Amino acid sequence: MRESINMSLPSKPEYVSVARLTASFVANQMGFDIETIEDIKLAVGEACNNAILHSGSDETYKLEFIKLSDNLTIEVIDHGKGFSIEKYKKPEAEELQESGLGLFIIKSLMDSVEIETSEGQGTKIIMSKIVE
Ligand SMILES: Nc1ncnc2c1ncn2[C@@H]1O[C@H](COP(=O)(O)OP(=O)(O)OP(=O)(O)O)[C@@H](O)[C@H]1O
Ligand SMILES: [Mg+2]
């Protein structure tokens, strides 16, 4: 079984709830428990926020929700300026940080996360969760 839902959203914060609601709908349909559904919504929201705030592209970005029998994969794709993974610093446990947490949160909540990005080329974040 493979089904996918594709959407293009305006790069505006008020539409992030459309992505979160879709994540919630699909995850619920696939039988994830309520806590995991909340985790997936949070991870998707963080990836959307990044596409809106950091990509520098103010038109649209894309999402793809891919349902496999035991796995939900979500891709968040923008065609903005991208960034350098080498320069990304993961937050330090000793320092209380108020920002720079999004990617860390996504990686902690999802089972696998891949980031395809390079400066000037846009960003694709691919995150998956396995149905227990
Ligand atoms: N889609 C993107 N396009 C361009 N740069 C990005 C993108 N996503 C992340 N980045 C870069 O990676 C950095 C880390 O992202 P992360 O979400 O971890 O933290 P943040 O967005 O700065 O803060 P927070 O998510 O806590 O509000 C960002 O500051 C930005 O430089
Ligand atoms: Mg962020």
Side-chain angles (χ1 to χ4, degrees):
M1 198 269 298
R2 185 189 197 278
E3 283 175 356
S4 81
I5 298 163
N6 286 276
M7 61 170 73
S8 170
L9 291 179
S11 299
K12 294 182 177 169
E14 58 265 42
Y15 290 92
V16 171
S17 58
V18 179
R20 288 170 49 88
L21 277 168
T22 307
S24 172
F25 175 85
V26 174
N28 181 52
Q29 214 181 25
M30 291 178 71
F32 285 100
D33 60 47
I34 289 173
E35 278 179 27
T36 309
I37 293 171
E38 286 306 316
D39 290 348
I40 295 169
K41 284 165 67 181
L42 184 54
V44 169
E46 287 297 331
C48 293
N49 288 341
N50 282 351
I52 294 166
L53 291 171
H54 303 305
S55 75
S57 156
D58 57 0
E59 290 176 3
T60 58
Y61 64 102
K62 293 194 180 76
L63 288 122
E64 183 166 11
F65 299 83
I66 303 156
K67 285 171 66 180
L68 302 171
S69 45
D70 61 347
N71 173 307
L72 171 61
T73 297
I74 302 166
E75 301 186 358
V76 180
I77 305 141
D78 68 63
H79 297 291
K81 62 176 155 57
F83 66 105
S84 158
I85 295 277
E86 289 76 47
K87 288 186 201 150
Y88 166 71
K89 288 200 188 66
K90 84 169 200 279
E92 300 287 340
E94 311 84 68
E95 297 172 28
L96 269 178
Q97 282 185 237
E98 283 188 24
S99 71
L101 297 174
L103 293 176
F104 180 77
I105 291 171
I106 295 170
K107 286 180 183 162
S108 352
L109 297 178
M110 300 298 282
D111 292 327
S112 80
V113 179
E114 287 164 47
I115 302 170
E116 296 173 10
T117 185
S118 59
E119 281 166 295
Q121 297 293 309
T123 301
K124 183 196 265 194
I125 176 155
I126 306 161
M127 53 184 108
S128 302
K129 197 82 184 171
I130 294 161
V131 190
E132 298 292 331

